[in-house]
Amino acid sequence: MEYKKLSHCVYHCQYHLVLPTKYRRQIFNEGIAQYLKLKLEEIKKYYPELSFETFNHDKDHIHLLVSIPPKMSVGSVVRIIKANTSRHVKQKFPALKKVYWGTDGIWSEGYFVSTTGI
């Protein structure tokens, strides 16, 4: 376990996130999943305080173990992840435009979150 530091706090806040696809469509294969991992690494460039510890996927959802600082809400991090991956994935894989015609999103509105603790 690793404690992280900000200017006025020391923390260890890890969250298990599950993000399902819109309509639970089974769109994830190894290629799309690897591209999604690259996009998560790009998010870390702009939000260095976020740390994606693990990434796993099934055909219709992804699992993330994310370290989120106390100054950010879980909902705002989910919004950042969904907004910064959805459009890029659809552009990179044009076949998804047929699956999700008429919308930019590939993610369901909801998500699952659970804390992990000491």
Side-chain angles (χ1 to χ4, degrees):
M1 174 179 46
E2 179 182 323
Y3 290 105
K4 299 192 179 188
K5 297 178 183 179
L6 292 175
S7 59
H8 296 287
C9 71
V10 177
Y11 68 95
H12 178 75
C13 301
Q14 287 188 322
Y15 298 89
H16 173 213
L17 290 175
V18 179
L19 305 177
T21 59
K22 192 174 225 166
Y23 314 123
R24 289 293 235 183
R25 298 274 164 78
Q26 297 183 356
I27 63 169
F28 291 121
N29 57 28
E30 286 305 316
I32 294 175
Q34 289 302 318
Y35 185 72
L36 201 55
K37 282 177 82 169
L38 290 174
K39 288 293 146 189
L40 292 175
E41 291 299 318
E42 277 186 27
I43 290 172
K44 283 174 58 173
K45 290 179 190 173
Y46 297 100
Y47 298 92
E49 60 272 359
L50 290 179
S51 177
F52 299 100
E53 309 293 331
T54 60
F55 171 87
N56 204 341
H57 70 92
D58 202 355
K59 292 182 179 185
D60 63 352
H61 63 276
I62 63 169
H63 291 265
L64 299 169
L65 183 61
V66 186
S67 177
I68 301 173
K71 67 180 184 176
M72 295 179 79
S73 71
V74 175
S76 67
V77 172
V78 169
R79 188 171 44 256
I80 288 167
I81 293 169
K82 287 181 177 183
N84 288 294
T85 57
S86 187
R87 186 174 0 100
H88 295 288
V89 169
K90 279 185 76 175
Q91 287 174 350
K92 179 77 172 173
F93 300 96
L96 292 178
K97 291 179 183 174
K98 294 177 184 174
V99 176
Y100 293 115
W101 56 274
T103 179
D104 278 338
I106 63 167
W107 300 112
S108 172
E109 287 184 24
Y111 61 92
F112 169 82
V113 63
S114 174
T115 58
T116 63
I118 298 173

